Amino acid sequence: MIIWLASYPKSGNTLVRSMLSAYNFSNTGEFNFELLKNIKQFPAKSLFENLGVDTSNKIEIVKNYVSAQEEINKRDGNSIRFLKTHSALHSINGYPFTNYKNSLGVIYIVRDPRKVVLSNANHYQFALDESLKQLSSGTVLGEDKFLMHIGTWSSNYNSWKEFKKLDKYLLIKYEDLILNPKEAFILILEFIHKLTKNQFVLDELKLNNVLKTTTFEYLQNLEKKESFPESRKTKDGKLINFFKYGKKNTGKNLPEEINKNIEENFSLEMKELGYLL
C-alpha cells in the first residue's frame, strides 16, 4: 500500500524523503543520495509506459493514475511503498489522482509560501513575480519523466485534507523539521506505524545518524562533493544548487508588493498554519 509524501514544490519533501530513506533503507541511518531511489516520484512516465499507456497523451496519463497505483500495489504485495508527489488531490476531467483503496495515508509537508516563492524562483530560475504567478495559478508541471497537476499553493494544501476523514493524515511543517527535527521525525515514524498497525520501537542509533546526516549544512556539503542527481540546470548548462538557502530563507526580505500579494491570497491558510496572526 502507498503512503504519500505530498507537498507543494520546494516545501521540504526532499528533506522528509532523505530522513525516511536513511531510516528505512540503510543499516545505520546514515544518509546518502543513492538512498533516495527507494522513494520514487509519482506520476513517473516510466510507470505508464510499462502499462502501455500513450505517454504523449496527457489525458491518457491522468486516466491511468489509479491503474498505475494498482499495479504498484499488486507488485509490492503487502509491503509499504512511499511515493513522493507534488500533485494536488484533484480529479482531472473526472479522473481521480488516487483513492482510499490504493492509499494507506498521507504525510503532507507544508511551508510558509513566502519562503516557497523564493526557493521556487531559484529552482526554476524564475523571476520572483513569475514564481508568485505559479503559486497563485493552477499549475501543471510537465517534464520528461513526470507530469504533475500541482494546483495553487492553497489548493494543493487543502486538497490533501481529504485523508483527515479517515484519520490517515499527518501535517508536517517544514519549519518544525528545521527547528525541531527530532520531534518532527518521531511524529512521522509514529504515524507510519499507526497506519501499518505495527508496534512502534524506535531505533535510537538510526535516529541519531539520520539527524546528523540530514541537516541542511550536511546536505549542502554533500551536494558540493557529489552533486545532487535531482538538481536542475540553467540554460547554459550550469548546475543550480538545490540546497541553497536553508535558514537564510526567512521570507522576510521579499519585495513589498509580492509579500502583500501572498499574504492576501493565502491569508486563510497562513493564519490556520500560524504563518500569519
Side-chain angles (χ1 to χ4, degrees):
M1 287 287 282
I2 296 167
I3 295 179
W4 296 101
L5 308 180
S7 71
Y8 193 86
K10 307 307 297 177
S11 297
N13 205 312
T14 297
L15 176 55
V16 173
R17 266 200 310 155
S18 300
M19 298 173 87
L20 279 175
S21 64
Y23 190 87
N24 287 287
F25 303 110
S26 76
N27 293 325
T28 63
E30 295 175 282
F31 175 74
N32 63 71
F33 288 145
E34 281 294 309
L35 291 171
L36 288 175
K37 294 179 179 178
N38 291 286
I39 303 180
K40 299 185 183 301
Q41 184 153 276
F42 188 94
K45 192 176 180 180
S46 60
L47 286 171
F48 299 95
E49 289 175 337
N50 292 339
L51 289 172
V53 174
D54 178 7
T55 55
S56 66
N57 187 324
K58 295 179 181 180
I59 296 302
E60 283 299 305
I61 293 176
V62 171
K63 184 178 178 180
N64 284 278
Y65 276 169
V66 171
S67 296
Q69 293 165 32
E70 289 173 346
E71 185 64 24
I72 291 170
N73 284 325
K74 179 181 177 181
R75 184 180 64 207
D76 291 348
N78 294 323
S79 300
I80 298 303
R81 170 72 67 175
F82 297 108
L83 287 179
K84 168 190 175 178
T85 191
H86 291 314
S87 289
L89 193 60
H90 293 158
S91 291
I92 307 296
N93 285 17
Y95 300 112
F97 176 77
T98 189
N99 55 29
Y100 292 137
K101 184 178 179 181
N102 286 288
S103 304
L104 195 57
V106 60
I107 299 166
Y108 191 86
I109 307 105
V110 71
R111 187 182 190 184
D112 189 324
R114 292 168 296 191
K115 300 176 184 177
V116 173
V117 76
L118 182 59
S119 288
N120 197 55
N122 172 68
H123 186 67
Y124 294 107
Q125 294 293 281
F126 288 157
L128 280 174
D129 57 349
E130 183 66 21
S131 182
L132 175 61
K133 183 179 178 181
Q134 188 181 82
L135 265 69
S136 305
S137 63
T139 304
V140 176
L141 182 62
E143 296 190 13
D144 291 340
K145 296 181 181 179
F146 48 83
L147 179 74
M148 295 177 288
H149 292 263
I150 298 174
T152 66
W153 178 86
S154 56
S155 69
N156 193 296
Y157 162 65
N158 287 316
S159 68
W160 284 96
K161 293 178 184 177
E162 180 72 20
F163 278 84
K164 278 187 173 183
K165 296 177 181 178
L166 298 181
D167 194 25
K168 293 185 174 184
Y169 173 91
L170 177 67
L171 178 67
I172 294 292
K173 292 170 70 173
Y174 173 80
E175 292 78 10
D176 291 337
L177 282 169
I178 298 300
L179 295 175
N180 302 295
K182 183 176 181 178
E183 291 81 355
F185 189 54
I186 288 175
L187 281 177
I188 291 172
L189 295 177
E190 289 175 338
F191 176 71
I192 292 167
H193 281 77
K194 184 186 80 171
L195 291 179
T196 57
K197 298 180 180 178
N198 292 325
Q199 183 179 359
F200 179 58
V201 179
L202 183 65
D203 188 322
E204 291 283 355
L205 176 62
K206 274 192 171 184
L207 174 64
N208 290 333
N209 284 334
V210 167
L211 296 175
K212 288 177 184 177
T213 60
T214 56
T215 65
F216 180 82
E217 293 76 17
Y218 187 95
L219 295 173
Q220 192 176 50
N221 287 330
L222 192 61
E223 182 179 21
K224 289 177 182 178
K225 293 177 183 177
E226 302 180 10
S227 78
F228 183 49
E230 298 176 21
S231 294
R232 296 171 61 88
K233 292 183 178 180
T234 61
K235 292 180 180 179
D236 58 2
K238 294 181 180 179
L239 281 174
I240 302 167
N241 289 334
F242 189 92
F243 303 100
K244 182 175 181 178
Y245 292 114
K247 295 178 181 178
K248 294 178 182 178
N249 181 359
T250 63
K252 295 180 179 179
N253 297 318
L254 292 172
E256 184 177 349
E257 183 178 346
I258 289 178
N259 191 74
K260 182 180 179 182
N261 191 306
I262 290 173
E263 293 182 358
E264 288 180 351
N265 282 338
F266 305 133
S267 62
L268 184 64
E269 290 79 16
M270 290 178 74
K271 288 177 180 177
E272 178 182 310
L273 290 161
Y275 294 141
L276 280 180
L277 298 178

